[in-house]
Amino acid sequence: MKGNLKRKVSVALLAMSIVLTTVPSAAYNKITEIKSTPEAYADGVTHENIRVFTDEGWINMNVLRIDLEKNVQMDVLTDTVLSSRDTLTNLVKKNNTDNTVVAAINSDFFDTNNSTTMGNLVKDNQLLSTSVGYDDFASFSISTSGVPYVAYVNTPNNTVSNGTFTKKLSYINKPYLAYNRTIMFDKYFSPVSYGKYLGVDILEILVVNDVITEIRRAGENFKMPDNGYVLASVGTDIAEMSKNFKVGDTLTLKKDVNFRYVDLSIGGGAQLVKEGKVVSAFSQNITGLHPRTGLGITKDRNHLILVTIDGRTNSYRGVSQTEFANILISLGAYEAINLDGGGSTQMVTTSPWTSQIKTMNYPSDKTERKMYTGLAIEKVLSDSPTLRATKISLSNTKMLIGSKVSVSLNGSDTNYNPVTPKATDVIWSVNGVTGGFENGYFVPTSTGVGTITAIYNGMTATQTITVKNDGVKLVVSPNILKIDDGQDKTMSFSVVTEEGNTILLSPQAVKATVPSTIGTYDATKGIVTGGANVTQGYMTFEFDGLTTYVPVGVGLDKQLYYDFEKPTATFSGYPLTVEGAYSETTTNGKFGTSAFMSYDFSKSTDTRAAYMIFNKPVVFPVDTQGIGLWVNGDGGNSHWLRAKVIDSTGVATNITLASSVDWQGWKYVSANFPTDLKAPFTLERIYLVETEATKLDSGYIMFDNVEAITSNALSVATPQEINRVKKALDYKLPSDLANAASKLTSYIYKAEKSKDIDAIMKANPLNWSTNTGAFSISDKTDAYVIKINNKNGYIRKNDYTQWIKLLEFVKNYNGNKPVVLMMNDVYIFNDTLEQELFSTQLQSLTDKGKDVAVIFPTSNATFNVGKLNGAYVVKVPRSSTKALYLNLGIKDGKIYFEAK
């Protein structure tokens, strides 16, 4: 849909404030809700993330709000042809030559077996494809007058006539040539018609400029004309069309009246919301808790609400269709439709600061799924944009004295496009702390909370920073490095502070010593490049008196198994129409002689494969974790590269070496063997495969040096790291507390059936405390003691009301007493989001200036003390025959403790 939409019909304008109401409790009870600050991506387009924690898990939703009265419009995204599909990110790129797409979601359901969407498709008032004709699929449409609506339009009446005979078309651009049908295809569906390659008797009529120019029966395929189409008939329609149409006839194509006044239309599933209420009976009821994508329309029809909800992960539960309908209503929808969900659920945005396309949700497949269509929001560009806003970009807002933090200023204009401020025109300053700005970095020289300010072109941007000087441990990742000759590995650095927080460091702030036998090191980027010799050693990294060491093995983990220096394999194609050849060649070889396989995928639209089958299958050692090889991608044509391996029990599996051979020259690719199969593995074949009907091409692929990736252990002795981490035995009670047992509480954790410990506790009249497992909040004389049941790594699953009580306590507590929490291991949560929420509660208490201690049992024989967001974390060994306990006392509102 191009051009700014202006309504030409009267639409009831109702005063409406779009306010997010509480998400309704359908089959769940809400614990808490976390919302991001809405961010604008264009005039009239905002995004926000809403996470709802429930007794059934997390609901993660991303919400795009579109004000159709602003300078935005909706558009349909497709691949280069309708019969081809691509990821949503790539669909945005392919449809964004004018840089106007600001966001997009996945849209219609699709039939992957037949390369098509299920619903109608209209773009710019042009009918590109009719639906498959199922009445239970609704559509989202926008009329030519700019009014959005949801409706069921699934049995369109499209005809073609030569004046004496009129034929109803079964479909337009739908690949269902079976039974007795006539279907119209044009250049939007495919570059060529089916012809004899359909594999069944077919009549094709070529129409150019409304005139039949040629008729073929089971002949070569037609090239689709720019100004015309092909009528394809099968079954009894062949005789009917042959009898009534001839070369030279002038045809009139009439499209269904339902689409004559539609500017945009996409297919979807069931209508979920009608007149502000959940539809009583869904036309399609996709049961279960799944990822969902949906679209809502407000009552005044001036706003759209695009929503994705994640699911099928350890944290995100997904929602039912009814729950989704209620959520859409709570977000302001008066009318709503369910779009394709599951692994297809995806939302992307284009940053107004960098133009980077980013996926905002978490696709359940862990990667983008290819799709046929998307629904996009486009901005309408002004001819004379001006600077709209500036924003400071810091690599980290928490920093340490002596670190170097990259700092820059981003700009965005009134078209919401990036603007790069001229560095020499930016005026930088800092207050609250001291520091200097040099060559794109800020170097802090004092501790505290400060504000960095950047003034550019009359606009001021600020960023709050926190500077610390309490680092106790330098952390380098990876902490063990295995690398090959010429291979690059990026090192990352951070410092753990005394409060238990982690602060990132730039590579420039860390002093590195890398022996030349290991390789070279780029200190500006933190990149280690492996040397030429197989060797072992260690690298040394230092910052602010802290030192750590990283063992390194160069060239240890690969064993060469095939070098293609002699005849190795044969060629095979599938289906039989796929032709090709295999040989070894020194021309453009990687290491002397390389494998060369040619292929021809142009003679079939079915799934095609070209196989290099080893004459003698490659058997790898038991400790092999995967395979790697060099691949020349010049003639790969973006096809899928796979390998077939067989485990020791005879189970065969196909592994992906590259999802798309889309590079030039030689590239090293690798893949791991499945962990659920049994070693050793045998490599039987390597092959290219193509599933898209429209990718009809030929080319070649080259291979060299098939290697086994093993897991050799390193035997490197490194010095003891230097840190300032306080040990458990370093913590002592003040003398006035140590000598007053009545002022202490002794925390002990008994091993199961420990009668000896029961006797010891009875014989020693201390203030013993053990965790009963039930949640409680006790107001003691000098502290609050909170007992939490997080058995098996969950708080929620043991009793979700624990969370409600804990959150309420943290929110309202403003007293002076310290807080002691007793629970199981605070570091072991099966739900990382629940762990994150718990950590933020500790931070909230310590930010209020409260002393906080978390005490829990450990199976280790010794005590351990750490910090987490400012709270003490104390591991107390379980006692069996000897009492191991923690004495804790409070003095002047502070916690003191000592291991006994």
Side-chain angles (χ1 to χ4, degrees), residues 156-175:
N157 183 22
N158 301 286
T159 63
V160 63
S161 176
N162 60 4
T164 59
F165 179 78
T166 299
K167 176 63 177 175
K168 182 176 179 179
L169 300 174
S170 299
Y171 303 107
I172 293 176
N173 285 333
K174 281 288 189 283

Side-chain angles (χ1 to χ4, degrees), residues 12 45 217 219 298 414 530 622 649 662 685 761 884 886 888:
V45 180
R217 183 168 182 176
T298 59
T414 48
V622 173
T649 66
D662 56 1
R685 64 184 63 185
M761 292 173 63
L884 298 171
L886 182 79
L888 186 148

Side-chain angles (χ1 to χ4, degrees), residues 197 390 764 770:
Y197 303 105
T390 57
N764 289 273
T770 60

